[in-house]
Amino acid sequence: MAPLVLYAGKPADRAAYERHIARAAREAGVEIRLCMDLAEVDPAEVDYLVFAGSGPVSDFAPFTNLKAILSLWAGVENILKLPLPADVPLVRMVEDGLTLGMIDYVVGHVMRHHLDIDQYIEGNFAGEWGVGYPPLARDRHVGVLGLGTLGTACAERLAANDFRVSGWSRSEKSVPGVRCLAGEEGLERVLAEAEILVLLLPLTPDTTRLLDAHRIAMLPQGACIVNAGRGPLIDHDALLAALDAGRLRHATMDVFDIEPLPAGHRYWGHPRVTVTPHIASATRPETASESLVRQIARGERGEPFTNVVDRALGY
Ligand code: NDP
């Protein structure tokens, strides 16, 4: 019998996923039984749970025969706090739409800081001509913390745009056109040069407040930060102090300790901070459905899933 797939994501996305999972399965020639409503299934019969922490499932105990939990999110730190069945693979979301959206966001904000576009929008050059030019991209150092699916894609695109890109990850990596570093010494080398620093790390015990006052102080004078990873990667008091002191030029912040960012938070309206409301990128039903179907097909062929979360590492 075809595997039973239960959608347990946000109700608002249900119609789109119903259409696109069915389409993607048809196009891939993968037979599935798709159920969009928890109330209509016996959990013990569900093979694949398409899951978001904001969906209807919080108790996994009745799902006794799961082959995989397929997360709709790339960042799984909140899902890992749930009482997940220990022996069922948790697969995190990797899909083209999410990756391409992140490239657009990161390249856009890096370009903005590289060209210092704000001063012209704001008219800060006060009509002066001959104020000088920004350096060429090939002379601009960009650091990317996190060289996973998203960090690597962004680093490659920035390198293709001629930036001098250094990337940092837990394990040693090789990315064409990108100087790849690892370890504490590697991090210090990336920070020391990064005129624009992009954060695309997952939130784990090891990465929490990774960018603290000590490490912020390693960045070059006037550096900019683009945080599209997670809010708690940064010590916010230290960041605000560095921005207030003019040590850092600007921070583009998409993610925060508390979301939505509370009214009255100092980031709102800060002249050196751009707040974007966790929109750097999103899982898109059209392309995510194709990724879900590929994972289900792998499971049905008895092949290992890709992008399985390492629960000990937390990502
Ligand atoms: P991946 O798991 O593919 O990559 C994570 C990267 O971080 C890897 O390179 C990994 O190293 C590195 N890393 C993890 N822990 C450490 C550590 N302690 N020290 C150094 N490097 C470390 O994740 P993705 O690229 O898919 O996503 C990254 C994050 O982006 C997500 O976890 C999520 O929080 C965030 N995100 C934000 C979105 C937004 O809209 N703002 C949208 C989607 C995701 P290694 O390669 O050695 O394993």
Side-chain angles (χ1 to χ4, degrees):
M1 207 193 306
L4 181 59
V5 179
L6 174 65
Y7 172 83
K10 279 199 297 197
D13 293 336
R14 188 182 294 152
Y17 275 105
E18 182 165 29
R19 190 166 75 251
H20 286 293
I21 293 175
R23 172 195 53 80
R26 201 171 51 245
E27 286 174 2
V30 178
E31 283 197 26
I32 57 168
R33 289 175 295 145
L34 179 60
C35 181
M36 304 305 290
D37 190 347
L38 175 60
E40 287 176 7
V41 284
D42 173 0
E45 288 184 7
V46 174
D47 296 289
Y48 298 94
L49 188 62
V50 175
F51 183 76
S54 54
V57 171
S58 54
D59 179 11
F60 295 86
F63 293 87
T64 47
N65 287 302
L66 282 181
K67 295 176 182 169
I69 299 170
L70 305 176
S71 167
L72 288 168
W73 298 344
V76 292
E77 73 281 1
N78 287 328
I79 294 177
L80 287 174
K81 291 178 193 153
L82 301 173
L84 302 173
D87 52 347
V88 177
L90 171 64
V91 175
R92 63 188 196 82
M93 180 51 72
V94 172
E95 62 100 356
D96 288 351
L98 183 66
T99 304
L100 293 172
M102 189 59 84
I103 292 173
D104 289 351
Y105 181 92
V106 166
V107 171
H109 284 273
V110 167
M111 271 304 179
R112 167 193 170 194
H113 297 312
H114 165 59
L115 296 174
D116 198 2
I117 289 172
D118 291 19
Q119 69 162 317
Y120 303 103
I121 292 173
E122 290 161 9
N124 289 349
F125 69 108
E128 271 179 67
W129 255 237
V131 285
Y133 304 97
L136 293 173
R138 69 181 184 193
D139 297 322
R140 180 76 83 185
H141 287 271
V142 181
V144 179
L145 303 187
L147 284 177
T149 305
L150 300 177
T152 297
C154 292
E156 281 179 331
R157 185 66 69 84
L158 290 166
N161 279 350
D162 243 8
F163 287 103
R164 299 174 76 160
V165 185
S166 299
W168 184 70
S169 52
R170 197 178 47 80
S171 54
E172 304 276 346
K173 288 261 145 43
S174 170
V175 180
V178 176
R179 184 176 68 147
C180 297
L181 297 161
E184 184 60 37
E185 195 198 327
L187 176 59
E188 288 175 13
R189 286 171 64 193
V190 173
L191 294 178
E193 285 184 353
E195 296 164 274
I196 303 170
L197 183 71
V198 178
L199 282 84
L200 275 169
L201 290 162
L203 183 63
T204 72
D206 288 343
T207 62
T208 302
R209 310 291 174 218
L210 182 115
L211 202 62
D212 59 11
H214 176 65
R215 291 188 177 124
I216 287 172
M218 292 178 187
L219 290 164
Q221 168 65 34
C224 295
I225 287 177
V226 178
N227 185 14
R230 283 292 181 260
L233 297 174
I234 298 181
D235 176 334
H236 299 287
D237 289 340
L239 177 58
L240 279 162
L243 290 163
D244 289 342
R247 266 278 299 133
L248 297 185
R249 179 154 56 93
H250 203 97
T252 297
M253 307 285 283
D254 187 56
V255 281
F256 305 90
D257 286 12
I258 301 172
E259 295 181 8
L261 182 66
H265 192 285
R266 284 201 57 212
Y267 284 146
W268 288 120
H270 193 293
R272 293 184 187 274
V273 177
T274 298
V275 171
T276 59
H278 203 142
I279 47 79
S281 193
T283 304
R284 291 158 209 256
E286 299 91 313
T287 37
S289 296
E290 291 160 12
S291 168
L292 293 168
V293 167
R294 276 195 296 275
Q295 294 285 12
I296 293 166
R298 295 181 78 86
E300 291 309 291
R301 288 195 300 263
E303 294 172 12
F305 300 104
T306 54
N307 307 307
V308 175
V309 173
D310 182 327
R311 297 194 202 180
L313 290 174
Y315 71 99

